[in-house]
């Protein structure tokens, strides 16, 4: 991978994953697949983007989760949390609320 474009390559890699792949994705897996060191990635990403690769990955997971909440009413919040790779639905709800200012359930009801 070109060292000057690490953040762009990582962003492209994350954005092109399916929801199922995204849920299983971690920074460790990204660095392994793209053959880059974690510390180098964090340094370059933070300098170029002003946030960490992990923050970006979580942000994309939140955006995809919001889409799933609206698109598929048969998926429970708990199932979406699992699908997006969160260890618990409570943690997912906490992160979701931090990003959107409301709970996943309220978000779904509001956009219904």
């Amino acid at each position: 991978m070109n060292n000057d474009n690490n953040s762009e390559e990582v962003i492209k890699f994350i954005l092109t994953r399916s929801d199922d792949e995204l849920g299983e994705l971690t920074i460790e897996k990204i660095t392994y697949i793209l053959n880059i060191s974690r510390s180098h990635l964090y340094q370059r990403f933070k300098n170029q983007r002003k946030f960490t690769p992990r923050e970006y990955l979580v942000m994309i997971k939140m955006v995809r989760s919001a889409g799933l909440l609206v698109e598929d009413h048969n998926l429970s919040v708990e199932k979406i949390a699992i699908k997006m790779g969160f260890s618990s639905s409570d943690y997912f709800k906490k992160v979701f609320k931090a990003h959107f200012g409301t709970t996943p359930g309220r978000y779904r009801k509001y956009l219904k």
Side-chain angles (χ1 to χ4, degrees), residues 23-69:
E24 296 177 2
L25 201 56
T26 63
I27 297 304
E28 288 74 22
K29 286 182 182 180
I30 293 170
T31 58
Y32 177 78
I33 291 167
L34 297 179
N35 194 31
I36 53 178
S37 79
R38 181 185 168 113
S39 61
H40 182 76
L41 173 62
Y42 267 80
Q43 179 185 11
R44 299 290 295 189
F45 206 97
K46 184 83 172 173
N47 287 340
Q48 294 172 358
R49 305 289 173 181
K50 307 303 179 214
F51 45 85
T52 69
R54 184 182 184 288
E55 289 168 336
Y56 182 76
L57 179 59
V58 169
M59 180 178 63
I60 296 304
K61 287 182 178 189
M62 288 295 100
V63 169
R64 296 266 188 99
S65 298
L68 289 171
L69 285 165

